[in-house]
Amino acid sequence: MSDIRDEVAETFAELFGSEPAGLWSAPGRVNLIGEHTDYNEGFVLPFAINRRTVVALGLREDRVIRVASGFADEAAEIAIADLAPGAVSGWPAYPLGVAWALGQLGADLAAVPGVDLYIESTVPVGAGLSSSAAIESAVALALNDVWRLGMDRRVLASVGQRAENEMVGAPTGIMDQSASLLGREDAAVFLDCRSLESEVVDLGFRAAGLELLVIDTGVEHQHATGGYADRRASCERGAAALGVTSLRDVTDLTAARDLLDDETFRRVRHVVTENQRVLDTVRALREDGPLAIGGLLDASHVSMRDDFEISVPELDLAVETAQANGAIGARMTGGGFGGSAIALVPAESISRVLVAVDGAFAEAGMQQPTMFTVTPSEGAKRER
Ligand code: ADP
Ligand code: MG
């Protein structure tokens, strides 16, 4: 099997007529637990996965950036001085947005040389595994190295977020970039979305013989965007009614029940209990190991299904079938209204879960999901 790094280097040479100066890569991510907690200044626990985006970079003698990708036919080029929101559209807004955002976050780009970039990825696009953070993080690390900017990885995570928010125009948080830049093998990144402090937490999946199965339902719900905005609004309403700046600060659910209407109360209860489940998961991993976190994953799903009401029948079926066939825990992951579920499964039960999920979806007349395992892996790095 040919190595994606060789392919990227060869295609770079064909496109640009010279060898690249170096190769960098960054992974996609899965969120283990902590859903809809980020914008409530709460906690999340994502990990970097063994699907990566690889960037080959060559230095130029002028002040132009050219980008090309195996993902799309159109390449793009722009002078560094012309980088600005609105100046680029489509996929090039991700890598060129990163170059722009480095300047916004303090890098002096007045004298840096132009670059050629060629990008390829094994992170599936739009499957909820954050191919967007993978491309941003790989490009951010590459430019930080060759332009000798000396920026910290946490700042590079903010660079990726700024690119996505302002050049792409997607209002996302910093979780994905943090996982992609700070991830370690067989470990997760415990991120406090208020202070932006993070810690690496060992997962110990390998020693425990556990696999993390992703079940991509392929369901892309038309209400996803509206539903997300609506849940955010509920959280803001709940926080205002309870007199706190964010739901992170709510500890007393008894008082909240009296002050809120039933629906807002349930939205608030999801966020408050989910934050606690992230903290409990981190403690369980540290004290008892990964076999102890199954119940927390299960409870997270129930909370999203019943209190936050963002699940769909396909996600519920995936979760229930995995649980009934040997998974030690399972939950929907991501924003909801479709997308993927994850299941933590002993290696010896994987094939049973695969067969059972396929069978259950067929029986329910639902489109067959795509299933694959992911391994918690190291974050962005220079490859060559
Ligand atoms: P995801 O859940 O995969 O992050 P997004 O919609 O946030 O989905 O980001 C996907 C977009 O990121 C793609 O449509 C494309 O514009 C860009 N992208 C991701 N990977 C690549 C790549 N390898 N080459 C070019 N563009 C990419
Ligand atoms: Mg994304």
Side-chain angles (χ1 to χ4, degrees), residues 120-139:
E120 270 190 35
S121 185
T122 60
V123 187
V125 169
L129 300 179
S130 206
S131 68
S132 55
I135 187 173
E136 289 153 12
S137 302
V139 171

Side-chain angles (χ1 to χ4, degrees), residues 225-238:
T225 311
Y228 179 84
D230 175 77
R231 296 305 184 277
R232 276 189 86 135
S234 290
C235 291
E236 279 164 26
R237 221 172 26 246

Side-chain angles (χ1 to χ4, degrees), residues 46-353:
F47 62 86
I49 60 174
N50 57 327
R51 302 259 189 147
R52 305 181 76 88
T53 297
V54 180
V55 174
L57 181 151
L59 289 168
R60 297 170 59 88
E61 287 177 356
D62 57 12
R63 297 253 306 148
V64 167
I65 304 184
R66 285 195 292 181
V67 290
S69 166
F71 168 81
D73 288 336
E74 338 83 76
E77 73 171 75
I78 188 168
I80 293 171
D82 294 339
L83 288 168
V88 274
S89 60
W91 77 266
Y94 291 84
L96 296 174
V98 165
W100 168 78
L102 285 166
Q104 297 300 301
L105 284 163
D108 181 4
L109 304 185
V112 297
V115 292
D116 290 326
L117 296 167
Y118 178 70
I119 299 155
E120 270 190 35
S121 185
T122 60
V123 187
V125 169
L129 300 179
S130 206
S131 68
S132 55
I135 187 173
E136 289 153 12
S137 302
V139 171
L141 193 67
L143 292 177
N144 184 57
D145 279 1
V146 298
W147 284 347
R148 302 180 199 280
L149 304 176
M151 285 172 136
D152 183 68
R153 280 177 185 247
R154 286 162 208 249
V155 179
L156 295 180
S158 298
V159 164
Q161 182 191 16
R162 180 76 70 97
E164 191 152 346
N165 291 167
E166 293 183 37
M167 287 287 262
V168 178
T172 52
I174 202 172
M175 166 169 80
D176 301 353
Q177 295 83 1
S178 300
S180 185
L181 281 153
L182 303 173
R184 299 269 172 77
E185 218 174 286
D186 209 16
V189 177
F190 172 39
L191 179 67
D192 179 335
C193 298
R194 172 173 275 171
S195 68
L196 299 188
E197 278 165 25
S198 61
E199 282 173 56
V200 171
V201 179
D202 284 339
L203 289 168
F205 287 174
R206 208 166 22 204
L210 292 172
E211 300 268 10
L212 200 292
L213 180 69
V214 176
I215 306 167
D216 180 3
T217 65
V219 176
E220 201 54 77
H221 205 286
Q222 64 196 53
H223 300 321
T225 311
Y228 179 84
D230 175 77
R231 296 305 184 277
R232 276 189 86 135
S234 290
C235 291
E236 279 164 26
R237 221 172 26 246
L242 296 171
V244 291
T245 53
S246 80
L247 294 181
R248 160 70 171 272
D249 296 318
V250 177
T251 45
D252 185 3
L253 279 171
T254 331
R257 191 189 279 280
D258 296 336
L259 287 165
L260 302 172
D261 65 87
D262 177 63
E263 185 184 283
T264 309
F265 172 70
R266 286 185 292 112
R267 305 295 187 250
V268 168
R269 182 166 62 185
H270 165 70
V271 173
V272 173
T273 58
E274 185 78 351
N275 273 330
Q276 189 59 47
R277 279 186 290 273
V278 176
L279 298 175
D280 291 347
T281 301
V282 170
R283 198 185 51 225
L285 285 167
R286 286 181 171 152
E287 291 175 4
D288 306 306
L291 292 165
I293 70 169
L296 291 160
L297 301 181
D298 295 345
S300 172
H301 185 75
V302 169
S303 179
M304 286 190 279
R305 184 190 66 197
D306 298 344
D307 273 356
F308 222 58
E309 296 183 278
I310 54 172
S311 191
V312 293
E314 288 84 352
L315 288 167
D316 293 339
L317 184 63
V319 165
E320 284 155 23
T321 308
Q323 287 164 340
N325 286 278
I328 69 153
R331 58 183 283 272
M332 55 158 287
T333 182
F337 308 100
S340 299
I342 55 171
L344 193 55
V345 186
E348 65 272 16
S349 302
I350 280 284
S351 51
R352 186 170 137 217
V353 172

